[in-house]
Amino acid sequence: LALLDPGREHGLESMLAEWAIFTPDAELQEPDPTRRATDGDIVLKRLDEKPHPLTKVLREQDLPLIAGRIRPAKFDEASAPDSTLGVWQLVFSSDGAWGETDPQRRPVRFDPERDQPGPVCVAAAAERATGIRKGVGGAGGRLVVIGTSEIAANLRLNRAGNRAFMTQCAAWLSDRDRAISLPARIEGEFQVNATAADF
């Protein structure tokens, strides 16, 4: 599971290319006020057209994902064909949004020569079957890439569908697909209060 924030170098480009996933350094701009929460966070409601187990709970319960700063994470259309690999684009922005390559520029506006046009995919999953690829035998595996770490942060984990989606990701990545369709158990909440001196 890779949670990659915009504006930060992650150094995973070559590894992601092996999985046909591309995360350009851009920041999602969402001009539609109906796709914004009252605190300004971006509300992601658009899901994959071909339903995937990872988005099942979001679709069934009509839950969006919520985050403040998000980068694109999508299928790499320039990747070489690979019969052992399947890639799914999972969560998208609205049509009017775009991936801004220079978020410091003012005023912020879409530049078709530089920016990523909407709808922008911000979460993708890949699964590789065991087999021969590029003349090399290899084991299979799964990967989920999300263009923000904020959906898993304390501030936003309990908002909208963030917790449900992260739980789905953990179950799918650990090959517990059957658990994905089960409702979450009631959890106990524990809090540790510590002062600066305690740390």
Side-chain angles (χ1 to χ4, degrees):
L1 175 62
L3 305 172
L4 307 176
D5 292 314
R8 294 188 176 188
E9 293 185 16
H10 51 71
L12 300 176
E13 289 83 3
S14 59
M15 186 275 291
L16 295 177
E18 286 287 312
W19 291 84
I21 293 179
F22 180 48
T23 60
D25 189 12
E27 185 172 332
L28 184 64
Q29 302 296 314
E30 179 56 82
D32 184 350
T34 66
R35 298 297 181 101
R36 291 278 184 174
T38 54
D39 60 2
D41 278 356
I42 297 173
V43 178
L44 299 161
K45 298 179 181 179
R46 187 169 178 176
L47 303 176
D48 47 338
E49 292 180 3
K50 296 179 179 177
H52 187 276
L54 286 171
T55 55
K56 181 178 179 182
V57 69
L58 300 179
R59 190 178 308 280
E60 289 178 349
Q61 298 182 27
D62 194 26
L63 294 171
L65 297 180
I66 294 179
R69 299 182 65 228
I70 310 167
R71 77 187 295 153
K74 60 183 185 174
F75 171 65
D76 185 356
E77 296 173 358
S79 62
D82 185 343
S83 62
T84 68
L85 183 66
V87 180
W88 297 268
Q89 299 190 119
L90 304 172
V91 182
F92 298 84
S93 71
S94 68
D95 289 338
W98 72 91
E100 175 63 54
T101 57
D102 185 8
Q104 304 305 319
R105 179 180 55 190
R106 294 291 181 263
V108 177
R109 63 177 179 272
F110 176 64
D111 180 349
E113 299 295 321
R114 302 171 47 175
D115 299 332
Q116 305 284 319
V120 178
C121 181
V122 299
E127 182 172 19
R128 173 164 278 128
T130 303
I132 303 297
R133 65 181 178 92
K134 301 177 186 175
V136 180
R142 290 177 171 177
L143 173 69
V144 176
V145 181
I146 304 169
T148 181
S149 65
E150 292 181 358
I151 69 169
N154 289 343
L155 182 64
R156 295 179 177 90
L157 183 62
N158 290 320
R159 295 182 64 191
N162 290 6
R163 179 187 290 271
F165 184 64
M166 295 308 297
T167 301
Q168 300 288 76
C169 289
W172 188 76
L173 288 167
S174 59
D175 202 19
R176 291 170 47 226
D177 291 33
R178 192 169 57 97
I180 290 177
S181 62
L182 300 177
R185 290 184 298 177
I186 301 298
E187 299 176 351
E189 298 251 342
F190 301 93
Q191 183 173 349
V192 176
N193 295 313
T195 66
D198 293 331
F199 283 116

